[in-house]
Amino acid sequence: MRFQLLWPVLATLVLPLLVSWFVYPTHLPPGFGEFPPQFVAEAPGFNLWYFIAVAVGAVWISCMMFLPKLMGFKGAAPKPAAAKKPLPWWFYLGTVVTLFFWALMWSHSTAFGDLVFWAFTPLWWGFILLLDGLVYHRNNGASMCSRQPGLVLLAALVSIVGWAYFEYYDYFVLANWYYPDSNAAPWSHTVLVLEFLLTYSTVTPVILEWYCLLNTFPKLVARYKNGPALNLNGNWLIAIGALLIGLMVLLPYPLFWVVWIGPFAVMTGILLKLGIWNPFTDIKQGDWSAGLLIGMASLINGLFWEFWNHGSNYFVKEPVTNPNFWVYNIPYVDVIHLFSEMPLLGYFGYIPFGVLVWQVFIWSGKLFGFNTDLKIFPS
């Protein structure tokens, strides 16, 4: 099974390189391999028809999340809510850490020396502890940190590789996002890379924590039961995802959205083909709760990602102290910014991204032989 798990992923990593060989005079896209990714070229400006097309997809997924009855969901009787427990000590620790590093990052204060340059990563680990404490409180004392602390560590390790996998495709869409202040910190490039990898460790744990928190609201979970059944073919998904990734290299601006959909389709196809549980397994039976809640978890967390990122360069401009600050260079739809570097429609990319993050975690567990099941909820 390991070979079957691995070969489609390896193929879709090699495929962009093969296509690039014929597309670019240097055989690689401009800026390829520069880490963290930097600005390459100005993307095409606003296009009304493209904006409308993307908006139609955004409206559809919004209706699935917020108006499920309109989309054919009958729902189900909610399970009884879990008993409450007092907030644990790590909730308070996480709150203090989050608030301290939030203030430090936004103030650009050097009162604590070079600590300000590291603020982004502990901010997010504090937030992970805060969220886990809320799950513990609402779920009768069961949370990832209290019941499966090893899984949190594994999620962090997978997260580093998983985001690097996603970041790899950014080179082939000519830097939809890049990090203009990455050299602001007084570090060597080796230390900069290490700091970025540490930051990557937060992505999977925080999305899983949001998913767990959303699952403590039984009425919310029940809304997405008994919906439309969707039976997808794994082989077709792998083929479609690979085709899109190849075309993305040829047409990086018109197909910029493939960076969210291509790897998603391939990973979904692998898991379905091999009969490994993932959110689309339940969707075959009309149960969309796992898929929509992990997408919602990613979308909600995306609001925090973008809010904290934007604020780190909004209130105070000098000195530049957040090497992790990112901006977007998205073609055709880069309009309507609400206290965010991310354009409004761009937020909807977080929904498939959240599913992909979970699927990469499940895939990694099968590849390396560890259990990725969230065991904090009664079956």
Side-chain angles (χ1 to χ4, degrees):
M1 178 183 282
R2 285 186 175 178
F3 177 74
Q4 292 177 293
L5 283 164
L6 196 55
W7 78 259
V9 174
L10 294 177
T12 49
L13 289 174
V14 173
L15 179 61
L17 296 174
L18 292 177
V19 178
S20 294
W21 181 268
F22 299 100
V23 171
Y24 295 103
T26 61
H27 307 304
L28 288 170
F32 182 84
E34 185 175 6
F35 186 85
Q38 298 300 311
F39 177 79
V40 171
E42 194 68 42
F46 177 74
N47 182 290
L48 178 61
W49 294 110
Y50 208 104
F51 182 89
I52 291 172
V54 176
V56 167
V59 169
W60 180 82
I61 192 64
S62 296
C63 289
M64 293 288 285
M65 284 188 167
F66 303 114
L67 298 170
K69 287 186 178 180
L70 182 67
M71 303 300 287
F73 288 88
K74 297 178 182 178
K79 294 181 178 180
K84 301 294 191 296
K85 290 284 187 180
L87 288 164
W89 62 267
W90 59 89
F91 168 82
Y92 299 101
L93 173 63
T95 301
V96 170
V97 171
T98 300
L99 292 175
F100 173 79
F101 283 101
W102 177 4
L104 184 64
M105 185 174 72
W106 277 23
S107 70
H108 299 222
S109 173
T110 56
F112 298 91
D114 289 348
L115 185 63
V116 65
F117 296 103
W118 295 88
F120 194 82
T121 303
L123 162 67
W124 278 98
W125 275 109
F127 193 54
I128 289 166
L129 291 176
L130 183 159
L131 290 173
D132 190 89
L134 290 175
V135 175
Y136 178 97
H137 165 65
R138 293 186 52 82
N139 196 40
N140 196 26
S143 70
M144 289 178 66
C145 287
S146 67
R147 295 286 178 87
Q148 296 177 278
L151 196 65
V152 179
L153 177 60
L154 287 169
L157 294 174
V158 170
S159 186
I160 294 171
V161 179
W163 179 259
Y165 166 69
F166 191 67
E167 193 97 73
Y168 170 76
Y169 290 106
D170 187 39
Y171 292 114
F172 298 98
V173 288
L174 306 182
N176 272 188
W177 63 92
Y178 62 96
Y179 305 87
D181 298 337
S182 59
N183 292 319
W187 303 328
S188 67
H189 189 258
T190 300
V191 175
L192 178 68
V193 171
L194 174 63
E195 193 274 340
F196 263 74
L197 293 178
L198 289 173
T199 299
Y200 292 177
S201 72
T202 64
V203 175
T204 302
V206 76
I207 290 178
L208 291 179
E209 289 289 2
W210 272 112
Y211 173 76
C212 291
L213 182 58
L214 293 175
N215 269 275
T216 66
F217 295 88
K219 290 182 180 179
L220 180 63
V221 177
R223 294 180 70 191
Y224 305 121
K225 306 285 188 179
N226 297 310
L230 183 63
N231 192 357
L232 299 174
N233 182 283
N235 286 321
W236 275 107
L237 282 174
I238 294 171
I240 291 170
L243 176 63
L244 285 174
I245 289 170
L247 291 173
M248 176 187 74
V249 183
L250 286 170
L251 302 166
Y253 290 133
L255 297 182
F256 75 92
W257 48 269
V258 171
V259 76
W260 287 279
I261 301 301
F264 169 88
V266 171
M267 191 60 67
T268 303
I270 295 169
L271 297 180
L272 287 177
K273 178 183 177 181
L274 298 179
I276 298 168
W277 184 92
N278 71 95
F280 281 88
T281 305
D282 292 347
I283 290 173
K284 286 183 179 181
Q285 283 75 49
D287 181 0
W288 291 64
S289 58
L292 287 176
L293 288 180
I294 194 68
M296 188 181 296
S298 180
L299 177 60
I300 294 171
N301 195 68
L303 298 174
F304 285 87
W305 266 323
E306 301 298 339
F307 173 72
W308 277 328
N309 177 64
H310 182 75
S312 71
N313 195 44
Y314 181 79
F315 296 105
V316 180
K317 298 292 186 181
E318 298 292 341
V320 177
T321 57
N322 180 17
N324 299 110
F325 175 73
W326 65 86
V327 294
Y328 294 96
N329 187 34
I330 299 176
Y332 311 127
V333 298
D334 195 8
V335 293
I336 312 178
H337 294 257
L338 304 175
F339 202 73
S340 169
E341 303 301 321
M342 174 73 85
L344 180 62
L345 289 183
Y347 278 100
F348 292 90
Y350 276 116
I351 296 171
F353 175 70
V355 182
L356 175 63
V357 165
W358 197 6
Q359 289 175 327
V360 169
F361 187 48
I362 295 167
W363 175 87
S364 301
K366 293 299 180 182
L367 184 66
F368 295 104
F370 60 86
N371 193 334
T372 59
D373 294 344
L374 297 174
K375 299 179 180 179
I376 67 171
F377 298 105
S379 57

